[in-house]
Each structure stands twice: as C-alpha cells, then as structure tokens.
C-alpha cells in the first residue's frame, strides 16, 4: 500500500488534470488532520471545490480516478464530496453537492456508472459538519486558504448536522457500538462546551464528563478505535449510555430554548 502522503499527492495531481480550470481547491478533514488516522479503521475525508457545475463526462472521468486511487486508500477508503464555490461562502444549508463517493457506494458505481453519475447529486446535511471541522482543523492541499473559500457555518446548522448521526443511537448502538459511543461523546462535547473534537478526543472528553458506570464502555470503544482490536461490549450498558447521552443533549437544548424539546433528539431513525 502506498503512503497516505503519496496517495494525496496523486489525488491532487489527477484532480487538477481532470478538472482543469474548474478546480478551485482540495481540502482534507477528518481523522487525517485530527491526529487519529488509523489505516485499519479510518477513511480519507476530502472536499473538492469547483468554480461551476461539472458535466457528466467530467464526473465519469473523475469517479474513475477516485475508484482507482481508492484501492490504495486506508481500510474505509476515500470519502469525498465535490461542491461549487458558490455554496461555500456564504454557507448554504442544507448544502448542495455535485458528486459524492464513499466505499458504501463502490458497487453501485462499478455496476451502474451512468446511473450513479446521474443520481449522485443533491443536498447533504453532513457537509455542515465537514465544513465546520475544515474551518477549525482542516488542511488545504490545493488552492486558496480555507477561510477564504469556506464561510462560517451557523452553530444551529452544525448541531443539526451532527445530531443526525446519533438520533437513532438507542436502537443502533448494539450494532455499531464503537462509532456511536465516541460520536455521542463528541456531539455532547460540542453542545456543552463548544468543542470540535475527533472521535478519539470525544471519548477522552467523555471520561471526565459521564458517570463512572460508563467508563469501561468508553475505554473499550477507544481501544477498538485506536488499536483496531475486537471488543465484546455489554449491550445493556451501551443502550443505557445512549439513553443517558441523548437525555443530556435534550436537557441542554431545553435549558437553552426555554421550551420542551425532547423530540429534538429522538431515539428513532435518522
């Protein structure tokens, strides 16, 4: 496997070759810039900004390039979104995107590339979280500085974005314990203390902010995330933790709004 640095250099060069004058910038966010990249657990998170919408032919050439490089990426592959500069500053929410890829969509593209190119565009609320992390801790790989391309993301948009990943946590945490344990912590850390944290940092924050009864769960999640070793979790403890964290989020929202907001963080699906 090639190094992450070599892979990113190839990504930048081949992006410039394909996109030409349309390319504004390429920006890295996520674990790769937050000090917790794990080749066995992580992906490479990229935002590509273009000056104008792309043709289907250009999207097809770009996707072929991404899929080719994805074979040399960390275990979870490349996750990238292409957006136009116009939706970045001032920030538009929900955020329109031109093209998106992650390994979850790899089979769709390989089996039906034309269908993928036609349909893989629209609005993505997750981009509010990505842009927020970019502005705080991202890295420019190509193009103008981050602050000159990406406008401020309103706190309510960022909160709406990150809460989607955890709104169904009570029903889902038994199947995705590590991810939801750490993600619930980073969401609560932002809601309580205004902190923009990685999953690892979120888990570390939780160890000084949640009841001791959940510390073993959090430590196990951190161990799995950092060491990539299988962990046997207590499902009852995990569900209780999810209930506790969602209640803490709901209580905080109620105090801020002065109205009942228990439905803001539901235990249903995202």
């Amino acid at each position: 496997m090639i190094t992450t640095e070599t892979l990113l250099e190839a990504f930048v060069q081949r992006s410039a070759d394909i996109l030409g004058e349309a390319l504004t910038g390429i920006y890295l966010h996520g674990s790769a810039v937050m000090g917790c990249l794990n080749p066995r657990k992580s992906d490479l998170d990229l935002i590509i900004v273009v000056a104008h919408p792309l043709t289907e032919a250009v999207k097809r050439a770009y996707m072929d390039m991404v899929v080719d490089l994805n074979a040399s990426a960390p275990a979870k592959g490349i996750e990238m979104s292409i957006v136009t500069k116009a939706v970045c500053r001032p920030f538009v929410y929900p955020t329109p995107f031109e093209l998106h890829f992650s390994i979850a969509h790899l089979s769709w593209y390989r089996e039906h590339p034309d269908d993928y190119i036609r349909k893989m565009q629209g609005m993505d609320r997750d981009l509010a979280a990505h842009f927020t992390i970019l502005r705080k801790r991202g890295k420019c790989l190509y193009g103008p500085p981050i602050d000159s391309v990406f406008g401020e993301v309103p706190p309510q948009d960022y909160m709406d974005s990150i809460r989607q990943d955890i709104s169904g946590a009570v029903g889902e945490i038994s199947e995705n314990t590590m991810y939801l344990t750490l993600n619930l912590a980073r969401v609560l850390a932002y809601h309580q203390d205004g902190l923009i944290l990685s999953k690892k940092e979120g888990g570390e924050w939780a160890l000084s902010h949640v009841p001791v009864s959940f510390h073993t769960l959090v430590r196990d999640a951190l161990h799995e995330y950092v060491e990539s070793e299988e962990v046997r979790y207590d499902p009852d403890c995990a569900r209780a933790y999810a209930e506790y964290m969602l209640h803490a989020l709901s209580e905080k929202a109620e105090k801020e709004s002065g109205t009942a907001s228990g439905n803001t963080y539901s235990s249903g699906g995202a």
Side-chain angles (χ1 to χ4, degrees), residues 35-48:
C36 54
L37 179 67
N38 181 341
R40 293 172 291 177
K41 287 286 183 181
S42 301
D43 52 18
L44 287 178
D45 298 297
L46 293 149
I47 300 293
I48 298 89

Side-chain angles (χ1 to χ4, degrees), residues 2 6 15 24 45 47 85 93 112 114 117 132 139 151 159 170 188 214 220 247 254 256:
I2 65 175
T6 301
S15 294
T24 296
D45 298 297
I47 300 293
K85 188 176 181 181
Y93 186 76
H112 306 286
D114 292 335
I117 293 300
T132 299
K139 181 178 181 180
M159 193 64 211
V170 174
L188 187 58
F214 298 130
D220 285 346
H247 180 69
E254 281 188 30
E256 291 179 350

Side-chain angles (χ1 to χ4, degrees), residues 44-170:
L44 287 178
D45 298 297
L46 293 149
I47 300 293
I48 298 89
V49 181
V50 294
H52 53 71
L54 305 176
T55 66
E56 290 189 359
V58 170
K59 289 182 179 181
R60 179 70 182 269
Y62 199 82
M63 277 298 303
D64 286 343
M65 178 274 289
V66 173
V67 169
D68 181 43
L69 290 180
N70 185 72
S72 300
K76 291 182 66 179
I78 292 170
E79 181 165 349
M80 71 91 200
S81 293
I82 299 179
V83 297
T84 61
K85 188 176 181 181
V87 306
C88 297
R89 189 180 187 95
F91 175 66
V92 176
Y93 186 76
T95 312
F97 67 96
E98 286 289 301
L99 187 65
H100 176 77
F101 173 76
S102 73
I103 58 171
H105 303 117
L106 182 58
S107 295
W108 178 16
Y109 182 72
R110 282 179 169 166
E111 295 169 12
H112 306 286
D114 292 335
D115 183 63
Y116 187 99
I117 293 300
R118 284 194 303 270
K119 294 179 180 177
M120 184 53 80
Q121 57 185 313
M123 304 283 187
D124 185 359
R125 294 180 185 272
D126 286 347
L127 287 168
H130 300 336
F131 287 12
T132 299
I133 292 170
L134 259 179
R135 282 179 52 87
K136 296 289 185 182
R137 303 176 67 174
K139 181 178 181 180
C140 174
L141 302 179
Y142 175 96
I146 291 169
D147 286 349
S148 70
V149 175
F150 296 88
E152 192 75 37
V153 176
Q156 65 269 22
D157 293 343
Y158 177 63
M159 193 64 211
D160 184 64
S161 175
I162 61 176
R163 77 181 187 190
Q164 293 185 89
D165 272 351
I166 52 89
S167 62
V170 174

